[in-house]
Amino acid sequence: MSARVLVVDDILANVRLLEAKLAAEYFEVVTAMNGADALEAVQRTRPDIVLLDVMMPGIDGVEVCRRIKQNPATQHIPVVMVTALDQPEDRVRGLEAGADDFLTKPVNDLALFCRVKGLVRLKMLTDELRARTGVDPLGLATSEPVAEQVSGRIMVLDNRVAPAERIRSHLTPRHEVTLVADPQQTFEAFGAAHAGFDLIIVNLDLEGIDGLRICSQLKSVETTRQTPILILVDPDDHQRLLRALDMGVNDYLIRPIDRQELQARVATQIRRHRYTEQLRLTVRSSMEMAVTDALTGLYNRRYLETQLTQLIEQSIDRGKVLSLLTLDIDFFKSVNDTYGHDAGDRVLQEVAGRIRGSVRSVDLACRTGGEEFVVVLPGADLTIAEKVGERIRRAIAAKPFMLGHGSHLTVTASLGVSSLAAEQDTVDDLLKRADRALYRAKREGRNRVVPAAA
């Protein structure tokens, strides 16, 4: 794995030791000897992760971490605190400052590479999502204590009653904790849950059950793939720990479990999960905006052209029928001229809603511009398409459109219908035939459905 690591420590021997270990694993290493230089290096080199000593003269590691996490340009960079302090409250202090993790001196190679690789993978995912959105929609870290900011829904998978109850007592009442003893219930709970869990805690030492297999299944099932997993392992269980991390487990705790460390790691995982989920939602929203008409919520012309080409090819390859409707609101210009553009927008939105309510979920309803709409009907021949067009026409004409302040307006629409006629048909052929039929409907008196000439 190639990534840039910033190592910060005021003792040169410590810097050189970590630098050598990381370089041997093909990481690019940048170093700093104090807090001020570390903050400058973060801005200058934009590392993928920071290994930060806690005890330094001047600006200590906790303050450096806090400043990194308060800066919107750098707050997504993972920070791992490296400390010689071994008291639980001292270890957790780094996490509560906004750090993503911690390591205790002397640094264990297994812990070092597991933490660094895991956090770098997360950073790469975050960078990809941030690049797609173009914005950072949610601050991941602030100067407030991590453990006091979040609450979430947590599933604890453990078929031993006493350890499971102990975990629950450590996490409640801040979090909603569900204890599950049967692995099959895990997937049932996810399937039945209205909102998913924010974290799954798995005890690898399940009685009669392979904990690693459960982790593998959780990472392979769609409903749980993106949910972070925190495992509980014995101090000497290095082999299973490595395998778990390789399969995508997000974090681990070594027994005996310290309450403060558990709370801090749970809070960190929930925050990361919320952050990446928000980024995913932003990406999805951006993609929807690119193919959706902002006013009506129907698909736009760009999406129509892309999808219609594929639908025509699929229909021809499979010997299936396909039809489309073109629709134009009658005398729409007079609506804008008489009642104003706000009223015209309400009419367009209501027409879109009536179209949507008159077609199937597999049909493709689009606004192509102004008062013009197109509906693609896969699997429908010309006769069926005419009936659908008539259903849409009646839905538009039957009920007045409310314009606000008690005023209303009767609106009608004219429709043209065309169907695939030959294997050589293109998008333009289909649309042109439907448009010619639409013009005929206009000439013949409007508020009617006209099929394309054979």
Side-chain angles (χ1 to χ4, degrees):
M1 176 180 290
S2 178
R4 181 178 296 123
V5 183
L6 172 60
V7 176
V8 185
D9 198 308
D10 61 323
I11 300 176
L12 182 61
N14 293 338
V15 172
R16 292 290 177 252
L17 178 60
L18 285 175
E19 184 178 18
K21 289 182 177 182
L22 292 165
E25 293 292 321
Y26 303 103
F27 289 98
E28 177 187 346
V29 182
V30 180
T31 63
M33 300 289 291
N34 56 63
D37 288 348
L39 292 170
E40 187 275 332
V42 168
Q43 295 292 336
R44 175 172 48 84
T45 66
R46 285 296 193 266
D48 295 299
I49 189 169
V50 179
L51 299 183
L52 180 60
D53 185 35
V54 174
M55 303 299 294
M56 294 187 296
I59 306 175
D60 68 6
V62 173
E63 180 60 24
V64 171
C65 176
R66 184 173 290 113
R67 294 188 190 183
I68 291 173
K69 294 299 184 176
Q70 286 177 335
N71 186 343
T74 60
Q75 63 180 6
H76 63 287
I77 299 174
V79 176
V80 178
M81 309 295 287
V82 183
T83 175
L85 303 174
D86 57 3
Q87 293 300 313
E89 58 271 19
D90 293 326
R91 297 201 310 266
V92 175
R93 179 170 166 258
L95 292 169
E96 291 183 340
D100 297 88
D101 216 321
F102 73 89
L103 291 168
T104 302
K105 296 178 182 177
V107 177
N108 175 273
D109 288 358
L110 173 62
L112 171 66
F113 296 126
C114 286
R115 301 297 191 201
V116 170
K117 290 178 180 179
L119 288 171
V120 166
R121 288 192 194 102
L122 178 67
K123 166 70 161 43
M124 290 177 176
L125 170 63
T126 303
D127 285 347
E128 181 180 351
L129 292 172
R130 283 162 53 89
R132 291 182 184 179
T133 62
V135 296
D136 193 2
L138 179 69
L140 179 59
T142 69
S143 59
E144 301 176 41
V146 172
E148 295 183 7
Q149 288 186 51
V150 296
S151 61
R153 300 186 67 223
I154 302 169
M155 176 182 292
V156 177
L157 179 53
D158 195 339
N159 55 12
R160 298 188 302 178
V161 176
E165 287 292 350
R166 192 176 304 114
I167 293 294
R168 175 154 65 181
S169 68
H170 289 341
L171 296 177
T172 53
R174 180 169 304 282
H175 304 283
E176 178 186 341
V177 181
T178 301
L179 300 184
V180 176
D182 180 2
Q184 183 58 37
Q185 293 177 0
T186 302
F187 302 103
E188 292 174 357
F190 264 90
H194 179 69
F197 290 91
D198 297 297
L199 176 66
I200 306 172
I201 299 177
V202 179
N203 181 359
L204 282 195
D205 288 334
L206 295 165
E207 292 182 351
I209 302 171
D210 185 349
L212 284 177
R213 185 173 299 278
I214 297 303
C215 293
S216 176
Q217 291 174 345
L218 290 170
K219 284 300 180 183
S220 63
V221 175
E222 183 64 31
T223 53
T224 58
R225 181 175 296 132
Q226 303 299 336
T227 307
I229 300 174
L230 171 67
I231 59 173
L232 311 178
V233 296
D234 290 327
D236 57 352
D237 202 355
H238 293 173
Q239 184 175 358
R240 287 206 301 168
L241 172 57
L242 282 173
R243 292 185 64 184
L245 292 168
D246 284 341
M247 67 177 58
V249 165
N250 302 78
D251 202 353
Y252 65 91
L253 274 170
I254 302 293
R255 295 190 186 88
I257 305 302
D258 175 73
R259 180 179 62 84
Q260 287 182 301
E261 183 179 351
L262 170 67
Q263 292 172 344
R265 290 199 182 281
V266 164
T268 298
Q269 288 300 324
I270 291 175
R271 293 182 52 159
R272 288 179 193 163
H273 178 59
R274 299 264 175 88
Y275 181 72
T276 53
E277 285 301 300
Q278 182 63 42
L279 284 173
R280 287 191 183 94
L281 288 173
T282 303
V283 170
R284 189 177 302 123
S285 176
S286 299
M287 293 174 65
E288 289 175 355
M289 289 174 61
V291 300
T292 303
D293 174 58
L295 179 64
T296 65
L298 300 181
Y299 291 113
N300 59 21
R301 177 181 289 276
R302 179 189 302 174
Y303 187 79
L304 168 68
E305 292 172 350
T306 302
Q307 294 300 307
L308 184 52
T309 299
Q310 296 178 9
L311 289 171
I312 289 175
E313 291 175 354
Q314 291 173 5
S315 297
I316 292 173
D317 290 343
R318 299 171 185 175
K320 302 291 186 179
V321 292
L322 179 142
S323 300
L324 65 78
L325 311 169
T326 55
L327 179 151
D328 187 271
I329 301 174
D330 298 327
F331 303 111
F332 184 72
K333 183 176 184 301
S334 66
V335 175
N336 281 332
D337 292 344
T338 304
Y339 299 97
H341 288 280
D342 287 345
D345 287 348
R346 284 196 289 272
V347 168
L348 290 171
Q349 291 169 335
E350 181 62 23
V351 166
R354 297 187 190 187
I355 291 173
R356 194 184 290 110
S358 302
V359 299
R360 305 166 299 175
S361 60
V362 297
D363 298 329
L364 192 65
C366 311
R367 180 189 177 209
T368 54
E371 68 273 26
E372 300 168 357
F373 298 82
V374 171
V375 180
V376 182
L377 306 167
D381 60 19
L382 192 63
T383 301
I384 294 175
E386 282 187 74
K387 293 179 180 178
V388 175
E390 181 61 24
R391 184 163 66 238
I392 293 173
R393 186 200 66 77
R394 289 198 305 267
I396 293 172
K399 183 179 178 181
F401 286 63
M402 305 308 297
L403 303 180
H405 305 292
S407 60
H408 62 273
L409 175 69
T410 298
V411 174
T412 63
S414 301
L415 296 90
V417 187
S418 67
S419 294
L420 280 177
E423 290 187 1
Q424 294 77 27
D425 265 350
T426 64
V427 170
D428 287 341
D429 294 333
L430 209 57
L431 288 171
K432 284 178 181 178
R433 289 201 299 272
D435 283 341
R436 285 197 293 267
L438 172 61
Y439 298 148
R440 277 182 52 206
K442 294 285 190 181
R443 290 195 303 269
E444 294 174 5
R446 295 181 170 82
N447 189 25
R448 65 193 62 215
V449 181
V450 173

